[in-house]
Structures are given as structure tokens and as C-alpha cells.
Amino acid sequence: EKFSKAFHTSLDGFAIVGINNATVLEANHSFAQTLDVAQEKLAGTSLESLPCWLTKVDQERLRQELDANREVRDFEATLHTHGGEEVFVQLSASFLELQQEPCIIYSLKNITTQKLAEKEIKFMAMHAQLTGLPNRRLFLDRFEQTLNRARRYGEKACLMFVDLDAFKEINDKMGHQIGDAVLKEAAIRLE
């Protein structure tokens, strides 16, 4: 009873899958919600047959790790819901036996918010906030990569410098708001 309450009320998704017939024996609401599938439709369904489940490559990686270690912890994967939305998950799985039936219990944690925040922070660290163009840090990184590649393969590299004529005058005479607008437009045209 305690296990059942914990299983069904957890904010993390849980599913128990029979090994012999590879179908979902039971899944909680959070598991179904993460997959964007009605909970009542999961029981008796093969997880691997669901289009919103792991890709074939991720299924194979998971299976290999599970066979080698008897459990998997913090396996990161991307799922695609029926609506086409990308959902980043952290998956754990382990073998267990329920009423003499060998099973796998899956635990899914939706980490989409965290992954999108990480992606945004990484983008902000490498791009100018105003224009969205690569900043000096990203420029220096890519320039160094380009020079190293040119040296390694005997190629040539070129650097082009672009200057906005009279930009200081625009800023001084018309204000920073107009200057920012000019920079944004220049960025759009450069892209």
C-alpha cells in the first residue's frame, strides 16, 4: 500500500514493464504526462512501440547499459511528444521481480526546464545580448579553431573586419536607443 501510494503520487514518472511480454504493467500519472499519453492507454502497451519513447539508438544504449550493470542511473535522453514537443528527461531503470514476474521499473524525471535554461545561459555567454550575434569570446574561440585547422591542413584563413561608419555620431546625436536599433538592423543584415 505504501509503495502504491508513493508510486502513484510521485512527481517523477514511474512505469513497471514486464520483461517477458515487454508491455507496461503499470504507469503513474507523471510518466504518462511526460510522454504526453493518456495514462489508461499505457497499460498493456509496449513502450518501445510508442513514437514518443526513446529513439532506437537510445533504446539500444539503455539496453546495453542495463544488461551490463543490472541498473541504469541518470540516463539523459530526448523524447518527442505526440504534439512534436521536445522533452528532455533523466531516466533510471532497474530490474525487479513482482509476483514471480521479472520486470523493469523505469523512473523518468522531466528536466526540460533545466536543459533549456542551460542552453540559454550558454547562448548568453557566447552572444551579444542586444543583437544575438556571436560575442568576442565566441569569436576568439572560433578564430583560434580556424587558425589551428588552417595550420594543420595547410589551408588559408581570412578575417573580414566590418565597421559602421558614423555610428558614434548616431549614438551621440540621436541617443542610445536609436544606436541600439541601428546595431540590431546591422546584425539582421549581416546574418
Side-chain angles (χ1 to χ4, degrees):
E1 188 179 328
K2 286 178 185 176
F3 174 80
S4 180
K5 273 187 181 174
F7 182 90
H8 287 289
T9 60
S10 175
L11 296 177
D12 289 345
F14 284 101
I16 299 171
V17 176
I19 292 175
N20 296 335
N21 57 11
T23 59
V24 176
L25 301 174
E26 198 162 351
N28 71 359
H29 176 72
S30 295
F31 193 89
Q33 189 175 29
T34 301
L35 295 181
D36 194 27
V37 175
Q39 185 178 358
E40 59 275 4
K41 289 186 179 179
L42 279 175
T45 303
S46 166
L47 268 184
E48 294 179 358
S49 71
L50 293 171
C52 52
W53 186 236
L54 302 175
T55 63
K56 296 290 182 200
V57 172
D58 280 343
Q59 286 180 36
E60 185 58 34
R61 276 189 334 146
L62 179 68
R63 194 174 296 116
Q64 287 174 355
E65 199 171 322
L66 197 54
D67 287 343
N69 303 315
R70 304 287 300 158
E71 69 176 9
V72 175
R73 298 277 174 239
D74 304 329
F75 182 92
E76 289 191 9
T78 306
L79 308 178
H80 292 88
T81 65
H82 291 295
E85 188 180 336
E86 249 186 356
V87 178
F88 299 95
V89 295
Q90 197 171 52
L91 175 79
S92 295
S94 59
F95 289 103
L96 80 144
E97 198 169 289
L98 290 176
Q99 299 167 339
Q100 288 81 42
E101 184 177 352
C103 301
I104 298 174
I105 185 164
Y106 290 98
S107 166
L108 270 185
K109 185 175 200 148
N110 188 333
I111 57 170
T112 303
T113 305
Q114 174 188 335
K115 283 293 184 186
L116 293 177
E118 287 173 10
K119 200 174 184 179
E120 187 176 345
I121 288 167
K122 187 175 182 179
F123 182 86
M124 288 169 47
M126 298 294 200
H127 294 80
Q129 189 174 359
L130 178 68
T131 62
L133 289 175
N135 65 13
R136 184 178 310 239
R137 174 186 277 161
L138 185 56
F139 162 74
L140 291 173
D141 177 65
R142 294 304 187 270
F143 189 57
E144 185 178 343
Q145 286 179 18
T146 301
L147 290 178
N148 288 337
R149 178 184 166 88
R151 282 187 204 112
R152 186 177 316 125
Y153 297 108
E155 298 174 346
K156 293 183 179 184
C158 174
L159 174 66
M160 183 172 77
F161 178 80
V162 178
D163 186 30
L164 294 178
D165 289 340
F167 181 71
K168 184 177 179 346
E169 291 175 31
I170 292 170
N171 251 352
D172 291 346
K173 289 181 183 176
M174 299 179 166
H176 290 286
Q177 254 186 328
I178 301 297
D180 287 353
V182 168
L183 283 177
K184 286 179 186 177
E185 182 61 29
I188 289 167
R189 291 181 186 199
L190 282 171
E191 283 188 313

